């Protein structure tokens, strides 16, 4: 590791060009939030800097010679609500590029507002959003302790969001299954953007999203606007940032989880018309370490690499056009004789081989239609695969003399997606949007299994499908603001699934009222439907009447979302936010025969329950209260405290109300950090961050030990669904950082040491049957783990 860092330092010194002062340029664009038209003449100034900037005809502004450090940016324009952006980090190694949108005033369209601007921190970019919405940015992902450079780990600090498993990035939102989470990239639904992702899941062990390529993006936890469909729990609306359209820049980074990274960006062509490129590549650090002969702590070395690009072409009469994409490959081998028996993913009497890949390519086009409208069209193609083989040895082991294949999984999916919508701003009071999204799935999947059987016994086919099908989504929504204090959004979303000819119409509505300059109320409602995970539709089982494929006729799972929200910006750089919610879940797949099974408890692992003959007769409910107290970074420190108390219940086909697997009951997070300038010229900064997280114990179905021994594999006691509650969770993380701004070159360096679970607490995740020893035992979450991040930009 020391050798790698030394090489990076030498490269940075050789490639960077000289500069004279510890300053940097802050540039960006200013647009109308709804019409996305540029606001020529808007004024931008950085507090402490006497020279403001004025946006040109393209909405572009440039602030030069801004001192390195934290600054506050203020934006104002006649007839629009002023905005303030706190804690903008300026370094000598990279220019700051901001995309800023302003909301038009209703009461005084021609008045230049001189009052302090509303803090933009945390506000989503979607003008049709109501309750339960928040934005996040690159700097937040890397700032908080314990984040692992992963957007999913970041949002688990928000109220109502729980990281379900230290070994994966699945999230539980308001007691819902992780399977209810939707990922969107550049305006289109996307496959799970994770390494080692499997069919139908939303999470994975390691994120394939390069956080250095992300633009400020939105995250929704309930009552989503009408343009979002096929989700019942949460929505990630991810966008890639554009490269610097004025100057070439480079980023090199090393992180234990995301790997060794190189990123390049800069302008394209000589016209300086906004055309730019951004390309990035990452490679598994532990794989590099193993090749160098380092002890990486495990023989099962995760091997992965990923890439990302965003090519932005200059705006012309034919509109604005861009190309984007990301992809990654991953593999890991678990060799039984080399694996510790406590390893979550492997066993001493088994060898397992996993290989996955994700490729996503897309294009986006936006064109103005008159002065009030624009049309945006996005197309993408994705190719994903998952190949898994599991071999078993005869007990006892050692010796390892004879093995046979017990599980064989081959999943290959090609999806062509497109989306188009028209957005119109009729006036400052009224705007609307209507769109259509289509997804053409080409899926070839086979699963054969004989776990618990001998080498002489035949495989059982659990999944065998090779065909195409379509999911259509369509929506219309409007925003009406009769005054600056009151707004109404409403819309209708619909879906049609050609696989089994199921349909759904979903009304959505939200009302927002600003009581005064500091206090606001929101009330939101939405009906939300979601497809079942594809492995659930396609699971099949041989019975006395042939092959049961009845799961293929399942309907959407559905949920009514009700949210009441209150926000109080009670002091400068402070806010309090509280939300109460109720979710009525229905049309949930359960068994025909009387049992406590429900699909509401699935979705937090690589696979799904092996159940056939399911029907949409299950129900459930989630209700809770969430609170957030946040101090945006100012005066050298920040604070984020979130808490939620909730109750998640469900009913299977036996009609008995039970705790869901994700009914943790409560969750709380406290994150805080300080930043202190150091050195004679105060050009460097020391940072310290602290994160405390606690939540209640999860509910689990106990293992039937006698049945497991007889079957040679784990069998749960299905007469006691979720009858066992595991111990609660507590984790404390600390993070030490140092940021250096070169006094001789346009170069900056950042290093973090992230000490995760510093108390080494043994947090139980589940209890599992181990066939080697014929008994059950605890599987714990990750213990103490040190993570590092080193970044150099020039």
């Amino acid at each position: 590791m020391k050798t790698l860092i030394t090489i990076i330092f030498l490269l940075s010194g050789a490639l960077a060009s000289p500069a004279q002062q510890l300053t940097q340029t802050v540039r960006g664009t200013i647009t109308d939030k709804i019409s996305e038209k540029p606001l020529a003449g808007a004024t931008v100034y950085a507090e402490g800097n006497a020279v403001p900037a004025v946006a040109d005809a393209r909405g572009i502004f440039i602030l030069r010679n801004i001192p390195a450090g934290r600054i506050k940016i203020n934006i104002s324009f006649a007839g629009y609500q002023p905005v303030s952006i706190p804690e903008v980090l300026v370094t000598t190694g990279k220019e700051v590029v901001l995309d800023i949108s302003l909301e038009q005033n209703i009461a005084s369209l021609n008045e230049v507002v001189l009052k302090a601007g509303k803090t933009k921190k945390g506000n989503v970019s979607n003008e049709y959003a109501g309750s339960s919405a928040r934005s996040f940015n690159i700097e937040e992902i890397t700032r908080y302790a314990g984040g692992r450079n992963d957007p999913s780990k970041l949002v688990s600090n928000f109220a109502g969001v729980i990281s379900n498993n230290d070994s994966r990035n699945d999230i539980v939102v308001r007691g819902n299954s992780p399977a209810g989470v939707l990922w969107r990239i550049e305006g289109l639904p996307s496959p799970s953007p994770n390494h080692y992702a499997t069919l139908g899941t939303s999470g994975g062990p390691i994120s394939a999203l390069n956080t250095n390529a992300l633009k400020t993006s939105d995250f929704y936890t309930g009552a989503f606007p009408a343009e979002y469909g096929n989700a019942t729990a949460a929505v990630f609306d991810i966008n890639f940032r554009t490269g610097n359209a004025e100057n070439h820049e480079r980023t090199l980074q090393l992180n234990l989880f995301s790997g060794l990274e190189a990123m390049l960006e800069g302008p394209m062509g000589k016209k300086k018309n906004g055309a730019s490129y951004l390309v990035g590549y990452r490679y598994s650090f532990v794989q590099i370490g193993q090749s160098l002969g380092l002890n990486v702590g495990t023989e099962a070395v995760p091997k992965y690499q990923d890439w990302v690009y965003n090519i932005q072409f200059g705006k012309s009469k034919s509109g604005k056009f861009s190309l984007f994409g990301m992809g990654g490959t991953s593999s890991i081998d678990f060799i039984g004789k080399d694996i510790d028996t406590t390893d979550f993913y492997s066993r001493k009497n088994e060898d397992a081989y996993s290989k996955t890949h994700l490729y996503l390519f897309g294009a986006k086009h936006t064109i103005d239609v008159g002065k009030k409208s624009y049309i945006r069209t996005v197309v993408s193609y994705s190719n994903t695969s998952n190949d898994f083989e599991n071999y078993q040895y005869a007990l006892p082991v050692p010796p390892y003399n004879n093995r046979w294949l017990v599980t064989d999984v081959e999943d290959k999916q090609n999806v062509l997606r497109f989306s188009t919508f028209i957005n119109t701003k009729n006036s400052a009071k009224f705007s609307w949007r209507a769109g259509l999204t289509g997804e053409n799935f080409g899926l070839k999947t086979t699963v054969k299994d004989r776990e618990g059987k001998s080498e002489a016994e035949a495989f059982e086919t659990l999944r065998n499908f090779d065909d195409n099908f379509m999911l259509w989504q369509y929506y219309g929504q409007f925003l009406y603001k009769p005054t600056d204090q009151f707004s109404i959004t409403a819309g209708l979303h619909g879906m049609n699934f050609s696989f089994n000819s199921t349909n759904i119409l979903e009304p959505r509505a939200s009302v927002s009222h600003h009581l005064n300059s500091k206090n606001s109320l929101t009330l939101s409602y939405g009906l939300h439907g979601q497809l079942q995970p594809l492995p659930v539709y396609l699971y099949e089982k041989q019975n006395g009447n042939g092959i049961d494929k009845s799961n293929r006729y399942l309907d959407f799972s559905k949920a009514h979302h009700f949210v009441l929200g209150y926000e109080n910006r009670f002091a400068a750089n402070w806010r309090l936010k509280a939300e109460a919610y109720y979710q009525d879940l229905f049309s949930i797949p359960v068994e025909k025969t009387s049992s406590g099974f429900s699909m509401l408890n699935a979705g937090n692992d690589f696979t799904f329950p092996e159940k056939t003959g399911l029907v949409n007769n299950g129900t459930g409910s989630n209700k809770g209260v969430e609170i957030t107290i946040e101090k945006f970074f100012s005066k050298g420190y920040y604070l984020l405290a979130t808490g939620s108390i909730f109750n998640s219940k469900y009913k299977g086909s036996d009609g008995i109300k039970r705790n869901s697997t994700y009914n943790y009951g409560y969750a709380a997070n406290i994150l805080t950090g300080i930043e202190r300038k150091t050195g004679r010229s105060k050009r460097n900064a020391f940072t310290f961050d602290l994160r405390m997280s606690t939540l209640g114990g999860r509910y689990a179905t106990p293992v039937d030990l006698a049945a497991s021994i007889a079957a040679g594999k784990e069998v749960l006691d299905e007469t006691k669904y979720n009858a066992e509650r595991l111990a609660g969770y507590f984790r404390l993380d600390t993070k030490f950082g140092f940021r250096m701004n070169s006094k001789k070159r346009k170069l900056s360096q950042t290093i973090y040491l992230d000490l995760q679970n510093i108390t080494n607490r043994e947090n139980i995740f589940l209890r599992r049957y181990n066939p080697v020893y014929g008994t059950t035992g605890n599987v714990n979450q990750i213990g103490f783990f040190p993570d590092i991040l080193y970044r150099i930009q020039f």
Side-chain angles (χ1 to χ4, degrees):
M1 185 181 302
K2 291 181 179 179
T3 303
L4 289 172
I5 294 177
T6 301
I7 292 172
I8 293 172
F9 268 104
L10 292 174
L11 284 173
S12 66
L15 296 176
S17 57
Q20 300 300 318
Q21 301 178 10
L22 293 177
T23 62
Q24 189 55 273
T25 299
V26 177
R27 67 175 77 249
T29 57
I30 305 175
T31 59
D32 181 285
K33 186 173 183 178
I34 298 176
S35 69
E36 298 189 4
K37 298 293 192 295
L39 297 181
T43 301
V44 185
Y45 71 95
E47 289 191 359
N49 189 54
V51 182
V54 178
D56 64 16
R58 298 174 296 168
I60 295 175
F61 71 91
I62 301 176
L63 288 168
R64 303 187 187 278
N65 301 319
I66 303 299
R70 300 277 181 179
I71 62 169
K72 185 177 182 180
I73 302 290
N74 298 292
I75 309 98
S76 61
F77 186 60
Y80 282 75
Q81 299 176 21
V83 163
S84 295
I85 307 176
E87 62 184 271
V88 176
L89 177 60
V90 179
T91 66
T92 55
K94 179 169 174 48
E95 293 185 348
V96 178
V97 180
L98 301 173
D99 293 318
I100 302 167
S101 59
L102 301 182
E103 294 184 44
Q104 190 173 7
N105 286 318
I106 305 299
S108 51
L109 298 180
N110 298 314
E111 178 184 352
V112 178
V113 182
L114 300 177
K115 65 181 181 179
K118 180 180 178 181
T119 300
K120 192 177 177 64
K121 170 78 174 180
N123 293 342
V124 295
S125 60
N126 191 323
E127 61 274 22
Y128 297 95
S131 306
S132 305
R134 162 145 190 173
S135 67
F136 61 91
N137 57 41
I138 299 174
E139 208 262 330
E140 286 178 304
I141 296 174
T142 56
R143 173 196 295 170
Y144 297 141
R148 297 187 183 174
N149 216 22
D150 187 331
S152 295
K153 294 296 183 182
L154 165 69
V155 300
S156 67
N157 298 306
F158 298 163
V161 186
I162 292 171
S163 180
N164 182 66
N165 182 351
D166 286 349
S167 299
R168 291 173 55 90
N169 59 17
D170 304 281
I171 56 172
V172 173
V173 180
R174 294 180 171 175
N176 287 289
S177 164
V181 176
L182 168 69
W183 287 95
R184 294 213 327 176
I185 294 180
E186 290 293 327
L188 275 175
S190 80
S192 172
N194 292 288
H195 290 292
Y196 307 101
T198 54
L199 187 66
T201 61
S202 65
I206 300 169
S207 175
L209 279 172
N210 189 325
T211 53
N212 287 321
L214 298 187
K215 183 180 178 180
T216 297
S217 299
D218 296 340
F219 179 67
Y220 301 86
T221 58
F224 325 125
E227 64 190 84
Y228 300 107
N230 198 24
T232 53
V235 176
F236 277 100
D237 196 355
I238 302 291
N239 288 286
F240 297 129
R241 68 179 181 87
T242 57
N244 191 324
E246 297 294 328
N247 295 293
H248 297 280
E249 296 178 328
R250 310 153 197 87
T251 297
L252 299 176
Q253 181 172 292
L254 172 66
N255 179 253
L256 290 187
F257 279 94
S258 59
L260 183 63
E261 173 184 345
M263 178 167 286
L264 304 174
E265 60 183 286
M268 294 195 312
K270 300 180 180 180
K271 296 182 179 180
K272 296 289 184 178
N273 62 352
S276 67
Y277 69 90
L278 180 146
V279 293
Y281 175 76
R282 305 189 301 184
Y283 194 88
S284 166
F285 172 73
V286 290
Q287 187 176 353
I288 296 173
Q290 185 195 47
S291 65
L292 294 176
L294 301 178
N295 181 6
V296 296
T298 178
E299 293 297 325
V301 176
K303 302 175 182 179
Y304 53 89
Q305 54 187 312
D306 54 59
W307 45 265
V308 64
Y309 68 88
N310 190 18
I311 310 299
Q312 190 80 32
F313 297 92
K315 189 173 183 179
S316 65
K317 293 181 180 180
S318 58
K320 196 172 184 179
F321 185 76
S322 64
L323 300 173
F324 62 89
M326 64 170 290
T329 62
S330 47
S331 65
I332 189 168
D333 298 339
F334 296 100
I335 307 303
K337 65 181 180 180
D338 298 330
I339 301 298
D340 185 80
T341 54
T342 61
D343 192 290
F344 180 79
Y345 298 111
S346 201
R347 301 175 183 178
K348 294 290 286 184
N349 69 320
E350 297 178 3
D351 295 341
Y353 306 88
S354 174
K355 183 184 294 184
T356 65
H357 77 239
L358 157 67
Y359 306 137
L360 173 66
F361 307 94
K364 180 163 64 174
H365 177 252
T366 304
I367 187 167
D368 292 332
V369 182
K371 296 181 179 181
K372 297 182 178 181
S373 303
Y374 68 87
I375 295 175
R376 177 163 298 150
T377 302
V378 189
V379 296
S380 74
Y381 168 79
S382 68
N383 176 278
T384 57
S385 76
N386 169 44
D387 295 308
F388 177 78
E389 292 181 347
N390 191 30
Y391 293 84
Q392 185 171 306
Y393 292 90
L395 293 174
V397 291
Y400 291 89
N401 294 327
N402 181 46
R403 71 174 191 176
W404 62 92
L405 183 65
V406 295
T407 304
D408 187 13
V409 179
E410 294 184 24
D411 295 327
K412 300 187 185 303
Q413 183 173 238
N414 300 282
V415 186
L416 180 63
R417 299 177 173 93
F418 78 92
S419 169
T420 186
F421 69 81
I422 181 170
N423 189 91
T424 299
K425 181 181 178 181
N426 294 96
S427 67
K429 294 184 177 183
F430 187 80
S431 59
W432 59 272
R433 179 181 295 177
L436 174 70
T437 299
E439 299 176 79
N440 187 327
F441 295 82
L443 176 62
K444 183 177 182 180
T445 175
T446 304
V447 177
K448 296 180 179 180
D449 184 75
R450 54 178 174 181
E451 184 181 3
K453 298 180 180 180
S454 69
E455 182 179 8
E457 295 180 87
F459 281 99
E460 182 180 6
T461 299
L462 306 181
R463 201 161 70 220
N464 186 21
F465 182 84
D466 185 2
D467 207 347
N468 293 71
F469 49 88
M470 284 287 301
L471 174 64
W472 293 99
Q473 300 185 64
Y474 46 91
Y475 68 91
Q477 59 190 6
F478 70 85
L479 168 63
Y480 177 57
K481 294 178 63 176
T483 69
D484 286 319
Q485 291 73 40
F486 188 78
S487 65
I488 300 172
T489 59
L492 186 68
H493 182 274
M495 289 190 287
N496 172 268
F497 190 38
S498 71
F499 179 81
N500 56 15
S501 300
T502 49
N503 300 272
I504 186 173
L505 284 176
E506 307 165 339
R508 317 277 177 86
S510 182
V511 177
S512 177
H513 180 46
H514 292 271
L515 305 176
N516 49 47
S517 61
K518 295 182 177 181
N519 297 274
S520 62
L521 288 171
T522 57
L523 178 64
S524 302
Y525 162 77
L527 172 61
H528 304 278
Q530 185 178 34
L531 297 176
Q532 308 308 324
L534 292 178
V536 176
Y537 283 116
L538 300 176
Y539 179 75
E540 59 187 51
K541 191 171 181 64
Q542 184 77 37
N543 58 30
N545 298 319
I547 301 176
D548 185 351
K549 299 182 179 181
S550 57
N551 282 5
R552 300 189 179 191
Y553 303 100
L554 286 169
D555 200 355
F556 296 89
S557 292
K558 302 167 187 176
H560 294 289
H561 287 197
F562 302 88
V563 184
L564 175 63
Y566 169 73
E567 183 170 324
N568 182 358
R569 305 252 175 171
F570 57 90
N573 298 310
W574 284 86
R575 77 167 174 177
L576 179 150
K577 186 176 182 179
E579 289 194 336
Y581 65 87
Y582 176 75
Q583 298 178 350
D584 177 30
L585 316 177
F586 62 104
S587 189
I588 309 300
V590 295
E591 292 184 283
K592 288 180 181 178
T593 56
S594 180
S595 80
F597 171 82
S598 172
M599 276 301 298
L600 290 178
N601 298 314
N604 66 338
D605 205 345
F606 293 96
T607 60
F608 290 88
E610 295 179 351
K611 299 283 187 180
T612 191
L614 300 179
V615 291
N616 292 94
N617 293 335
T619 60
S621 65
N622 301 314
K623 55 186 176 182
V625 177
E626 303 165 353
I627 188 167
T628 298
I629 300 175
E630 184 170 14
K631 180 191 178 294
F632 308 131
F633 189 94
S634 64
K635 299 181 179 179
Y637 77 100
Y638 71 88
L639 172 70
L640 175 63
T642 65
S644 59
I645 299 174
F646 61 98
N647 192 17
S648 299
K649 301 285 189 178
Y650 81 95
K651 288 183 181 180
S653 55
D654 60 6
I656 298 174
K657 181 180 288 188
R658 294 179 174 87
N659 292 293
S660 79
T661 298
Y662 310 110
N663 189 18
Y664 293 91
Y666 69 89
N669 301 285
I670 298 177
L671 298 92
T672 187
I674 62 172
E675 183 174 302
R676 294 290 182 265
K677 294 182 178 181
T678 63
R680 292 182 179 180
S681 60
K682 302 296 182 182
R683 70 178 185 273
N684 304 322
F686 168 79
T687 62
F688 173 75
D689 301 274
L690 179 71
R691 174 182 181 267
M692 185 278 292
S693 179
T694 183
L695 58 142
R698 60 179 294 183
Y699 286 88
T701 302
V703 174
D704 187 329
L705 182 58
S708 297
I709 294 174
K713 61 179 181 179
E714 183 176 273
V715 178
L716 300 181
D717 186 351
E718 296 189 355
T719 66
K720 300 178 180 179
Y721 269 105
N722 286 355
E724 181 179 42
R725 190 174 194 186
L726 305 179
Y729 177 99
F730 176 83
R731 180 168 145 176
L732 190 65
D733 304 325
T734 61
K735 189 173 187 178
F736 301 87
F738 192 65
R739 186 170 63 248
M740 297 163 282
N741 290 296
S742 173
K743 64 180 180 180
K744 294 182 179 180
R745 298 176 176 88
K746 287 289 186 181
L747 179 149
S748 63
Q749 303 169 73
T750 303
I751 187 167
Y752 291 124
L753 175 61
D754 193 352
L755 304 178
Q756 301 173 13
N757 194 7
I758 60 173
T759 65
N760 200 29
R761 177 184 168 96
E762 293 185 349
N763 292 302
I764 184 173
F765 178 66
L766 51 79
R767 292 182 60 81
R768 191 183 69 179
Y769 172 70
N770 190 323
V772 176
Y773 298 103
T775 186
T776 59
N778 292 345
V779 176
N780 292 324
Q781 307 262 28
I782 291 177
F784 172 72
F785 187 88
D787 188 19
I788 66 164
L789 182 144
Y790 173 77
R791 181 191 301 127
I792 184 169
Q793 295 181 310
F794 53 96

